[in-house]
Amino acid sequence: MPAKPKLGQNFLDDADASERIVAALGDLSGRTVVEIGPGGGAITGALAAKAGHVVAVELDRDLAAQLRAQFSPDKVTVLEQDVLNFNFSEVAAAAGGRLRVVGNLPYYITSPILLKLAASHASLDRAVLMMQREVADRVAAAPGSRDYGLLSATAQMYGPVEKGFTLPPGAFSPPPEVHSTVVRWRFA
């Protein structure tokens, strides 16, 4: 399915990277994982094989329908909605514990998503997120460094953020004009 530029879609097209992202979430046995923007399901497939249940939050109606056809509803619940309106606390209550979150974030709304996760911190255990490298540098920046600022302070107020690996544009379809970095955010 072709990407829709207005939705900031750059689909991960690297199976090894998908496995590494899921591994960064830790042991998922019996856990509920929320995936932000599953797109074509590259990470979703790896999650479904390891997690107790996956809640995939996808804004694109066509992709949501494709995901519903691709994955068993026993393993993956596909919700067609904007993640900025998603109720993490309600899903955590239904799951019986704090959630793990994963996502290849659309670059144009990375900051609002990070703020949404910060506001939902009490319902979250950790998040493993792919974002533009420069944003990852800011989110994980140490106090006093050149990249440290409001986004760093806000994110780190709710728990430590560490950078993982970086992927080149060719790992995505269509390739973005920037490199992407995975960060792991552990909520206190």
Side-chain angles (χ1 to χ4, degrees):
M1 178 169 292
K4 296 176 182 169
K6 69 179 182 149
L7 295 180
Q9 295 174 337
N10 298 95
F11 303 124
L12 183 60
D13 198 22
D14 182 323
D16 179 59
S18 295
E19 291 294 335
R20 290 173 68 191
I21 290 167
V22 172
L25 284 167
D27 181 14
L28 298 176
S29 305
R31 303 284 312 225
T32 296
V33 180
V34 175
E35 184 179 8
I36 299 170
I43 298 171
T44 315
L47 285 171
K50 294 181 171 80
H53 195 75
V54 179
V55 178
V57 183
E58 177 56 59
L59 182 62
D60 185 311
R61 176 186 3 218
D62 297 331
L63 289 174
Q66 177 184 319
L67 291 164
R68 284 188 194 99
Q70 187 177 354
F71 297 103
S72 165
D74 294 338
K75 288 297 285 182
V76 179
T77 299
V78 180
L79 300 177
E80 186 182 319
Q81 74 176 91
D82 185 334
V83 71
L84 298 178
N85 298 321
F86 183 74
N87 190 329
F88 286 96
S89 63
E90 187 177 283
V91 175
R98 294 171 79 191
L99 304 168
R100 302 216 177 157
V101 177
V102 68
N104 175 18
L105 304 183
Y107 297 148
Y108 76 99
I109 60 165
T110 298
S111 293
I113 291 173
L114 293 174
L115 294 174
K116 172 72 174 186
L117 294 174
S120 304
H121 71 278
S123 301
L124 308 177
D125 175 63
R126 71 187 67 162
V128 175
L129 307 166
M130 174 103 58
M131 60 189 69
Q132 184 174 336
R133 179 172 54 189
E134 292 76 13
V135 176
D137 289 345
R138 286 199 313 269
V139 172
S145 69
R146 183 177 65 83
D147 288 331
Y148 191 79
L150 183 59
L151 193 56
S152 318
T154 302
Q156 294 172 28
M157 182 168 50
Y158 296 101
V161 180
E162 58 188 352
K163 288 193 300 184
F165 59 95
T166 298
L167 292 172
F172 301 87
S173 177
E177 296 180 9
V178 297
H179 284 68
S180 301
T181 298
V182 173
V183 300
R184 181 169 48 199
W185 187 5
R186 295 178 188 267
F187 296 90

